[in-house]
Amino acid sequence: MDVTSFFKAPSGPVSKSNKRKMAAEPSEEALKKLRVEADDDDDADGRGLEDDERFLRGDGLSDKQREILDIVDSVEDAPAAIDLLSLKKLVAKLERSINANEEMRVKYPDEPLKFINSEAELDEDLHNLMGVSAAPELYQKLVSLGTIGSLLELLEHPNTDIMIATIQLLSELTDDDVVAEASEEGEAGMKALVEDLLQNQILEKMVQSFDRLNEFKEGTDDKQGVFNILSVIENLISVDPSVSEKVVSTTTLLVWLLSRIGLKQFDSNRQYASELLSILLQSSRENRLKLASLGGVTALLKAVSAYRKKDPRESDEVEVMENLFDALCSALAEPEVKKVFVAEEGVELMIIILRERKMSRMRALKVLTHAITGEGGDVCSNQFVEALGLKTLFPIFMHKGLRAYKKEYKAHSETEEDEYVVSILASLFKSSSPANRIRLCIKFSENDFEKVERLLELHEQYQARVAAADRQFERDQLEREEAGGYDGEEEVDGEEMRYLNRLDKGLFTLQLVDLVAGYLCTQPSEDQVRSFAASWDIWEILMRPRLGP
């Protein structure tokens, strides 16, 4: 017997005819046959269902054992804590990758395959450095190693993927959440990082990066790159508010933002652009004037006009709409901007939005409040009256159609609307021309003085709310004293708390209502209104003693 034949490999492949196959789309008969065969196998080897499931998974482990191993694996896979030594290693490796890639690109400028591996390694090192964001106390060392200069040089890398990876890294490092719970050393590290970034002209380089990205091109990360640029700028402003004016004065960011919000297509970058624009205009007169000089008021009016006849389709687009109106309100803090607003027919647009009764109605009231009140509001006040704005405003004041409106827009705030409308009326009395004030008084005398009645109703309504707030505050104060005072480390000023509580319950609206009533009673040219007010004993109502200080 030739025993070697036992150790020889088969002369050919095993016949495939006996191998079980499953069709791509198994029939019911095939599935039934498989189930029968599986049951026969279970009977033959004596395995139970639980054991069978374990072996079918390929590891022979129970669910409990597998859960324990998953916990162990998650601990093993967790990134190691960043310390000074690991930071130096990461930075050194990044510098080597940058130099190697630059060398290969110079040596083989027309052969991408020669330097593609070095760029892949560089991209990996950039992502590895993101772990440093977990240790902001090491940022000062990161600055002293000269890493920031190297990173900003990568913003000009020929490969936009490397540029996008660098921007993402900078976004992670400057995220204000990094220092939300950090130590004082971590906060100092973040300030040092931001200062070094600004000294290395990060603002200019970031804004210039917009030109290299096409966020609408499919199959690229350009859209995410644009988002991260906006994120970096917002992060820098959060750490150092002075960056807000610096980025507007030294770059073309404001021009880019105005162009971006002008695109009708909604996406996350348009949302972020509207938010950043609103932030830039919140507390900077220089930025508001620059907006007006660049035609920004016109751009904002054009953007908000899209919502005069249609509502945003989703919650994120609602945020875009609110950001646009908020930006307009911030800009209207300047008298110079109010003149541009009137010249660009902004008052007329807001009146049209009020007439359409869409979701944007409340925002239009807010814009008109900012336009008419304050310095330079007389221009907007007179334009509002001459554009027949009173005809649109008073139905809102009388709450006509409010029930149907609230049925459609359940989040509508009646108290907020009252505040805006009465604020507009008070400002119209204060800053309109004598002729327009007479027109305003005549509106109050129409329909048997129903608007005066409505004014007194508002007075009693909000006076009752403030009085109820005072009573509740007194009860809470007694309970707090019986319980041993405030829980906080510092004692809270009781009078300040009372005042803030009254404002929250409508004190400001009550004051505006009384101011309008006072204007009505002191207008020398409208004897009818004054005599009607006297017949209602308006002074007795307004001067009625109120609860609380």
Side-chain angles (χ1 to χ4, degrees):
M1 179 183 294
D2 184 7
V3 296
T4 59
S5 61
F6 290 102
F7 301 97
K8 289 181 179 179
S11 58
V14 178
S15 174
K16 295 182 180 180
S17 59
N18 296 327
K19 188 174 181 179
R20 184 184 297 126
K21 294 182 180 181
M22 180 172 286
E25 297 181 1
S27 62
E28 182 62 29
E29 291 78 12
L31 292 173
K32 184 177 180 180
K33 183 177 179 181
L34 285 175
R35 283 195 291 268
V36 171
E37 291 179 359
D39 291 340
D40 293 342
D41 291 341
D42 288 345
D43 295 338
D45 58 20
R47 292 201 305 264
L49 180 60
E50 182 178 351
D51 292 336
D52 187 53
E53 289 179 352
R54 288 158 54 188
F55 281 101
L56 284 175
R57 290 176 181 174
D59 53 15
L61 300 175
S62 66
D63 291 339
K64 186 65 176 178
Q65 292 169 329
R66 191 174 294 103
E67 182 180 354
I68 293 174
L69 286 178
D70 289 341
I71 294 174
V72 174
D73 290 340
S74 64
V75 174
E76 292 177 351
D77 294 340
I82 298 294
D83 55 17
L84 182 57
L85 180 60
S86 57
L87 173 64
K88 290 182 178 180
K89 290 181 179 179
L90 289 172
V91 170
K93 193 171 186 304
L94 175 65
E95 294 291 347
R96 287 196 299 269
S97 297
I98 293 175
N99 294 333
N101 177 247
E102 184 177 357
E103 181 181 346
M104 294 299 290
R105 274 187 166 272
V106 171
K107 191 174 182 180
Y108 304 102
D110 300 323
E111 300 181 60
L113 293 178
K114 296 286 187 179
F115 53 75
I116 190 171
N117 290 334
S118 64
E119 291 191 0
E121 185 175 352
L122 175 57
D123 182 77
E124 181 181 356
D125 290 339
L126 286 169
H127 283 83
N128 290 338
L129 201 59
M130 291 182 187
V132 181
S133 62
E137 61 275 6
L138 296 176
Y139 281 5
Q140 289 182 322
K141 189 62 179 178
L142 190 68
V143 170
S144 64
L145 291 172
T147 312
I148 302 305
S150 299
L151 292 177
L152 295 184
E153 287 179 1
L154 290 177
L155 294 178
E156 301 175 1
H157 195 279
N159 187 343
T160 55
D161 290 335
I162 297 298
M163 181 187 74
I164 292 172
T166 305
I167 295 171
Q168 183 181 3
L169 171 59
L170 292 171
S171 176
E172 292 288 336
L173 293 176
T174 58
D175 192 342
D176 55 357
D177 290 340
V178 169
V179 294
E181 300 179 359
S183 61
E184 294 183 2
E185 188 178 358
E187 294 179 1
M190 176 64 83
K191 291 181 180 179
L193 174 65
V194 171
E195 183 179 352
D196 195 49
L197 287 170
L198 295 175
Q199 289 178 355
N200 283 275
Q201 299 181 329
I202 185 176
L203 298 176
E204 294 84 347
K205 293 180 179 179
M206 278 290 166
V207 175
Q208 290 170 3
S209 298
F210 283 130
D211 297 334
R212 298 183 57 195
L213 299 175
N214 182 3
E215 56 181 313
F216 303 107
K217 185 178 181 180
E218 296 182 0
T220 67
D221 293 329
D222 289 20
K223 184 175 182 178
Q224 184 63 46
V226 170
F227 186 92
N228 286 334
I229 291 175
L230 298 175
S231 174
V232 170
I233 295 173
E234 183 187 12
N235 293 342
L236 295 175
I237 294 174
S238 178
V239 177
D240 182 1
S242 67
V243 172
S244 174
E245 291 186 359
K246 189 177 299 184
V247 71
V248 171
S249 62
T250 61
T251 73
T252 58
L253 175 65
L254 198 56
V255 175
W256 187 90
L257 291 175
L258 292 173
S259 173
R260 190 63 182 81
I261 64 171
L263 300 179
K264 295 183 178 180
Q265 180 182 357
F266 169 75
D267 58 16
S268 58
N269 284 346
R270 185 171 188 256
Q271 179 182 4
Y272 209 161
S274 66
E275 180 181 350
L276 186 56
L277 178 61
S278 179
I279 292 172
L280 292 173
L281 300 176
Q282 278 179 1
S283 57
S284 172
R285 169 174 167 80
E286 288 74 13
N287 289 356
R288 296 165 187 157
L289 296 180
K290 183 69 175 292
L291 175 85
S293 67
L294 293 173
V297 175
T298 305
L300 284 170
L301 290 174
K302 185 177 180 180
V304 301
S305 67
Y307 300 106
R308 72 184 188 278
K309 289 188 176 181
K310 68 174 184 178
D311 291 330
R313 289 172 291 186
E314 51 187 284
S315 59
D316 288 340
E317 192 174 358
V318 172
E319 184 179 343
V320 172
M321 180 185 73
E322 292 177 345
N323 289 335
L324 295 174
F325 277 100
D326 286 345
L328 199 52
C329 289
S330 297
L332 287 169
E334 307 303 329
E336 297 89 341
V337 178
K338 290 179 180 180
K339 293 180 181 179
V340 178
F341 180 73
V342 171
E344 296 295 329
E345 300 183 351
V347 173
E348 288 82 354
L349 176 60
M350 296 303 115
I351 294 173
I352 291 173
I353 293 176
L354 293 180
R355 289 174 184 166
E356 296 295 340
R357 301 175 62 83
K358 293 296 183 181
M359 184 186 294
S360 55
R361 185 176 85 165
M362 182 73 80
R363 283 78 182 178
L365 281 173
K366 185 178 179 180
V367 169
L368 286 171
T369 302
H370 284 77
I372 293 174
T373 59
E375 184 182 357
D378 56 330
V379 179
C380 297
S381 295
N382 291 317
Q383 184 65 25
F384 181 81
V385 177
E386 292 167 8
L388 305 180
L390 297 178
K391 184 178 180 181
T392 303
L393 182 67
F394 274 105
I396 301 175
F397 174 72
M398 298 298 295
H399 284 186
K400 292 183 178 180
L402 181 62
R403 181 176 299 179
Y405 187 81
K406 291 180 68 175
K407 186 176 181 180
E408 184 173 0
Y409 302 105
K410 296 183 172 25
H412 177 76
S413 172
E414 186 176 332
T415 56
E416 185 180 3
E417 183 177 82
D418 287 341
E419 179 182 328
Y420 289 147
V421 172
V422 180
S423 178
I424 291 172
L425 289 174
S427 297
L428 289 174
F429 271 116
K430 179 181 178 181
S431 57
S432 294
S433 64
N436 285 333
R437 279 200 295 271
I438 293 175
R439 294 173 65 177
L440 186 57
C441 288
I442 292 174
K443 294 297 291 185
F444 273 95
S445 65
E446 293 176 350
N447 298 328
D448 199 20
F449 302 95
E450 64 175 4
K451 298 174 184 64
V452 178
E453 295 182 28
R454 172 63 182 156
L455 190 67
L456 297 178
E457 289 175 3
L458 285 174
H459 170 82
E460 294 181 343
Q461 174 185 339
Y462 281 94
Q463 186 184 44
R465 289 186 184 183
V466 173
D470 284 339
R471 290 192 295 270
Q472 183 63 45
F473 181 83
E474 293 293 343
R475 288 193 293 269
D476 293 343
Q477 192 82 343
L478 288 174
E479 293 177 1
R480 195 174 293 112
E481 290 175 357
E482 292 174 358
Y486 291 93
D487 295 332
E489 296 180 2
E490 297 182 1
E491 190 70 17
V492 179
D493 187 346
E495 290 303 315
E496 182 180 354
M497 286 287 294
R498 179 196 293 269
Y499 178 68
L500 293 175
N501 188 54
R502 299 179 89 202
L503 283 177
D504 186 55
K505 299 303 181 182
L507 176 62
F508 181 59
T509 303
L510 176 61
Q511 292 171 336
L512 290 172
V513 168
D514 292 354
L515 183 60
V516 173
Y519 277 123
L520 281 174
C521 292
T522 56
Q523 290 302 308
S525 58
E526 267 306 312
D527 294 334
Q528 284 185 327
V529 176
R530 290 193 302 150
S531 61
F532 178 78
S535 69
W536 269 77
D537 293 328
I538 188 170
W539 284 113
E540 188 274 331
I541 293 175
L542 295 179
M543 302 306 293
R544 186 177 297 161
R546 304 175 187 173
L547 295 178

